């Protein structure tokens, strides 16, 4: 009885809650709300600053190249057809091929950023197609290399090694659509290289198979997308 009486006389404990202001929650929220507009402004300006910086670097390199080669600026900036005095449709297939290389390289690197499973392979593939893009646009193995003491065989050997390394990776799953697209495109490009080196004057076969091989290769990154990536 006495124990029950003592228990009833003990003061009841009331749970206490700390004020949001006391533990720093409210200031943190205000700081977070202030930081969001700043982050949004940074996210808006950063891509524009980055792309403009690339353009400024290209223009500065153009000025330096004009002085180095002792050529007028127009040599580097004007359209080739206008500068060379050839019809506007001259080199149309090659121009389209360069556009296709650009699309292929962009897709490879974009899908590599989106998909984790094939990221390393697509990055290597993107670097390979970027190299082929630069070669096709600026005649690396046909003009730039030989004029500077680098034979064509070194370029072709490098391209062959990179293509073989990619082939090993795609050949591990030969029945997938990506592997089939890579093998088909690689075969067409190999025919183009063979025609360029050993069959002279067959420009439709040489340039046509190169274009077809590049277009087929565009299917590789597209088939690597496993699900749609929508904003939000």
């Amino acid at each position: 009885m006495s124990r029950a009486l003592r228990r009833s006389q003990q003061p009841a404990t009331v749970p206490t809650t700390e004020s949001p202001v006391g533990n720093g929650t409210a200031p943190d929220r205000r700081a977070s709300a202030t930081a969001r507009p700043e982050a949004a402004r940074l996210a808006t300006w950063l891509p524009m600053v980055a792309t403009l910086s690339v353009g400024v670097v290209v223009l500065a390199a153009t000025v330096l190249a004009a002085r180095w080669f002792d050529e007028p600026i127009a040599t580097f900036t004007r359209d080739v057809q206008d500068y060379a005095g050839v019809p506007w449709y001259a080199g149309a297939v090659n121009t389209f091929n360069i556009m296709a290389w650009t699309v292929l390289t962009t897709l490879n690197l974009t899908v590599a950023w989106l998909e984790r499973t094939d990221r390393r392979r697509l990055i290597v593939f993107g670097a390979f197609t970027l190299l082929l893009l630069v070669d096709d646009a600026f005649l690396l193995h046909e003009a730039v290399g030989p004029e500077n003491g680098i034979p064509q065989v070194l370029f072709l050997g490098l391209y062959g090694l990179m293509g073989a390394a990619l082939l090993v990776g795609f050949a591990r799953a030969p029945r997938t659509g990506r592997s089939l697209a890579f093998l088909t495109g690689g075969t067409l490009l190999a025919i183009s290289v063979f025609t360029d080196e050993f069959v002279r004057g067959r420009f439709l076969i040489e340039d046509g198979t190169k274009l077809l091989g590049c277009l087929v290769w565009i299917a590789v990154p597209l088939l690597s997308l496993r699900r749609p990536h929508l904003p939000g």
Side-chain angles (χ1 to χ4, degrees):
M1 185 70 179
S2 59
R3 291 181 180 178
L5 181 61
R6 285 197 299 270
R7 290 177 182 177
S8 63
Q9 292 177 352
Q10 291 179 354
T13 58
V14 179
T16 60
T17 57
E18 296 183 356
S19 173
V21 178
N23 59 13
T25 303
D28 290 345
R29 290 178 179 176
R30 288 195 295 268
S32 176
T34 305
R36 287 176 183 174
E38 296 178 357
R41 285 194 293 268
L42 180 61
T44 300
W45 284 101
L46 186 59
M48 291 189 289
V49 172
T51 51
L52 285 174
S53 299
V54 172
V56 171
V57 170
V58 170
L59 294 177
T62 302
V63 174
L64 294 176
R67 294 180 179 179
W68 178 269
F69 293 104
D70 194 20
E71 294 281 353
I73 294 292
T75 303
F76 300 90
T77 60
R78 292 173 61 188
D79 294 331
V80 174
Q81 292 87 343
D82 185 27
Y83 187 79
V86 296
W88 61 267
Y89 47 80
V93 174
N94 184 67
T95 300
F96 185 76
N97 208 153
I98 293 173
M99 295 168 63
W101 285 124
T102 305
V103 171
L104 172 57
T105 302
T106 304
L107 281 174
N108 277 326
L109 299 179
T110 302
V111 176
W113 178 65
L114 293 174
E115 296 290 347
R116 296 182 178 180
T117 54
D118 293 328
R119 179 167 297 172
R120 182 178 301 177
R121 184 187 306 174
L122 288 173
I123 289 176
V124 176
F125 192 26
F128 181 41
T129 55
L130 176 61
L131 183 58
L132 295 178
L133 164 62
V134 175
D135 189 312
D136 207 9
F138 297 102
L139 306 176
L140 290 186
H141 79 277
E142 294 178 334
V144 177
E147 290 178 4
N148 292 276
I150 304 176
Q152 291 190 32
V153 65
L154 291 182
F155 288 94
L156 297 179
L158 174 63
Y159 301 157
L161 288 175
M162 294 185 69
L166 286 167
L167 178 61
V168 171
F170 283 105
R172 293 177 181 175
R175 295 184 179 180
T176 62
R178 291 170 297 169
S179 298
L180 180 60
F182 182 82
L183 293 172
T184 303
T187 301
L188 290 168
L189 291 170
I191 294 173
S192 175
V193 173
F194 179 85
T195 306
D196 181 30
E197 293 296 320
F198 302 105
V199 184
R200 298 295 180 181
R202 302 294 183 178
F203 298 112
L204 182 59
I205 298 176
E206 175 190 348
D207 298 323
T209 52
K210 180 174 64 175
L211 174 63
L212 294 176
C214 178
L215 291 175
V216 171
W217 267 3
I218 292 178
V220 174
L222 292 178
L223 292 171
S224 298
L225 280 172
R226 302 185 182 279
R227 61 187 180 278
H229 293 266
L230 300 177

